[in-house]
Amino acid sequence: MTLTPRPGIMEIAPYVGGEAAIPGKNRVIRLASNENPLGPSPLAIAAYASLEKDLHRYPDGGARALREAIARAEDLDPDRIVCGAGSDELIALLVRGYAGPGDEVLHSAHGFLMYALSAKGAGAEPIAAPERELNADVDALLERVSENTKLLFLANPNNPTGSYLTEAELRRLHQGLPEQVLLVIDAAYAEYAIEDDYCSAMDMVAEFGNLVVTRTFSKIHGLAALRLGWAYCPPDVADVLNRLRGPFNVSQAAQAAGVAAVGDRQHLERSRAHNTRWLNWTVERLSAIGLDPRPSAGNFLLVRFAGESGRSAEAALAHLKKNGILVRAMGGYGLPDCLRITIGTESETRAMVQALEGFAALAEAGPASEKRA
Ligand SMILES: Cc1ncc(COP(=O)(O)O)c(C=O)c1O
């Protein structure tokens, strides 16, 4: 007799994160995981370092100080906040809480991969709705709602496409959903979105019983290593998550650093301004060499490459790697002709653009010159 995992588990292709090292290279420019290149707030680093004497103590299982700090910063109700070990954990808990075998979890075709993986983990079926030119399509999503649909996940802005739905579109999506479907807006990149018609949907949580917003400290707060995310929920959903989550799912280090990070508006503004400046600069420079970065409301760009050899995304990835630069291949998202590039520090971003300019020049000169290079 062999052990048999639950149906669906063996269909999960384990999530592959962005690469972090290149064999033989000591100095690597990491633009593969949408991290904040400026790192966390110095206040968060100090709060983290101050914990060394208390490592034998369990964390506060209710993360009260952190929830109150988030609530103060964002003008929210702390009782509706649930913290998790990254928003990944909250995504998985939401699926486990509301979907199982025979149920469907709806997402947009190029939505964040964890929605489909979490659905399979719970034995539910992920359903992908087609997009319009890599933008989530409200009508296509609504058309795919069936009586088995339990959750709909939408990343806004979306990783990896960088696209977003406006508040009007979000409201139309919510309005078209039956009450028994939970709409989860994953706003991991909310702080980077500066577009006037962007809305993180936080206000909508208070209006409806079936809408949750997830957020993370891994992106603009620069605390990806500590694994910290949070969900803003209707009370019933918060109750479900609090029953399902581990009693100490968020470490004390993450809680302490999170309190300090959320209070440091200056660092947040600095990080946002840095991103806006270098994102726009990168778009201009890449467009000038004939590449086609998509508009992005996040801290990354999805760049499409020509299909022919010597100019392909695969060749660009290899060229960047040769230059010590890691970006993200997009085959796992069904976009093999694209790369996703995180905006780095000024010098990292300049180095990446320079390498791509070199790549374009080589491709222009033809395959023979590439071999010589
Ligand atoms: C859209 C989106 N949601 C959620 C996450 C997960 O973030 P966390 O580090 O909080 O688990 C990511 C990470 O890349 C993301 O891009």
Side-chain angles (χ1 to χ4, degrees):
M1 268 249 290
T2 52
L3 294 176
T4 311
R6 283 191 297 105
I9 306 281
M10 299 314 289
E11 288 165 31
I12 298 174
Y15 184 83
V16 181
E19 289 178 283
I22 304 174
K25 292 224 187 266
N26 292 331
R27 203 182 145 264
V28 174
I29 295 179
R30 293 171 60 175
L31 307 178
S33 296
N34 298 346
E35 297 145 344
N36 182 346
L38 306 185
S41 153
L43 303 179
I45 296 172
Y48 172 79
S50 75
L51 284 178
E52 63 180 0
K53 288 193 209 70
D54 288 319
L55 295 182
H56 56 305
R57 301 289 178 202
Y58 277 96
D60 168 11
R64 172 147 290 280
L66 175 59
R67 288 187 295 107
E68 286 175 350
I70 295 170
R72 262 194 313 278
E74 303 262 345
D75 196 18
L76 301 173
D77 173 0
D79 292 336
R80 286 166 168 255
I81 295 172
V82 180
C83 297
S87 46
D88 279 348
E89 184 190 25
L90 295 162
I91 292 165
L93 290 177
L94 285 163
V95 175
R96 267 179 59 203
Y98 291 93
D103 295 330
E104 293 175 356
V105 175
L106 192 52
H107 61 89
S108 197
H110 298 106
F112 182 49
L113 278 181
M114 287 309 296
Y115 312 145
L117 296 186
S118 299
K120 286 183 184 163
E125 193 181 350
I127 305 286
E131 298 178 346
R132 239 179 314 113
E133 291 168 19
L134 298 183
N135 294 312
D137 180 342
V138 169
D139 297 304
L141 284 162
L142 291 177
E143 273 165 26
R144 275 153 190 84
V145 173
S146 78
E147 59 187 20
N148 298 324
T149 308
K150 292 294 177 338
L151 299 106
L152 193 170
F153 280 94
L154 180 85
N156 206 43
N158 184 49
N159 168 22
T161 57
S163 62
Y164 70 97
L165 291 188
T166 63
E167 177 167 6
E169 286 284 274
L170 286 183
R171 286 191 178 271
R172 192 163 78 79
L173 177 62
H174 178 265
Q175 210 161 22
L177 285 179
E179 276 174 11
Q180 68 274 16
V181 176
L182 180 61
L183 174 59
V184 183
I185 309 281
D186 173 351
Y189 300 93
E191 298 90 343
Y192 285 114
I194 54 165
E195 289 71 9
D196 287 340
D197 55 359
Y198 172 77
C199 127
S200 69
M202 232 35 138
D203 292 345
M204 289 168 66
V205 176
E207 283 178 59
F208 307 111
N210 63 338
L211 194 153
V212 167
V213 176
T214 58
R215 302 279 294 267
T216 183
F217 281 79
S218 301
K219 304 302 172 186
I220 208 159
H221 291 302
L223 292 172
L226 289 183
R227 313 304 303 123
L228 181 57
W230 54 286
Y232 196 55
C233 314
D236 290 353
V237 179
D239 182 39
V240 167
L241 291 179
N242 279 323
R243 287 167 196 268
L244 267 181
R245 69 178 174 82
F248 304 106
N249 61 328
V250 178
S251 73
Q252 199 59 34
Q255 293 186 36
V259 169
V262 84
D264 189 347
R265 302 309 289 182
Q266 255 184 6
H267 184 72
L268 192 143
E269 294 301 340
R270 196 163 44 237
S271 300
R272 178 164 36 221
H274 171 88
N275 186 64
T276 304
R277 174 171 178 208
W278 291 101
L279 184 97
N280 290 339
W281 182 86
T282 305
V283 167
E284 251 173 56
R285 294 292 290 259
L286 295 188
S287 305
I289 54 168
L291 290 173
D292 183 23
R294 281 182 50 79
S296 173
N299 65 340
F300 54 88
L301 287 166
L302 187 72
V303 184
R304 195 182 288 280
F305 289 79
E308 66 259 40
S309 72
R311 291 169 190 263
S312 66
E314 202 184 344
L317 185 78
H319 181 84
L320 287 167
K321 227 181 217 183
K322 213 159 60 185
N323 285 274
I325 302 168
L326 290 170
V327 302
R328 190 69 153 260
M330 288 281 102
Y333 278 92
L335 299 166
D337 54 347
C338 294
L339 296 178
R340 194 198 64 200
I341 304 176
T342 306
I343 299 304
T345 61
E346 173 175 351
S347 65
E348 289 171 341
T349 307
R350 285 186 186 279
M352 174 270 294
V353 165
Q354 202 177 6
L356 284 178
E357 286 168 349
F359 173 73
L362 278 176
E364 202 58 45
S369 74
E370 184 156 21
K371 274 203 201 89
R372 279 198 304 275

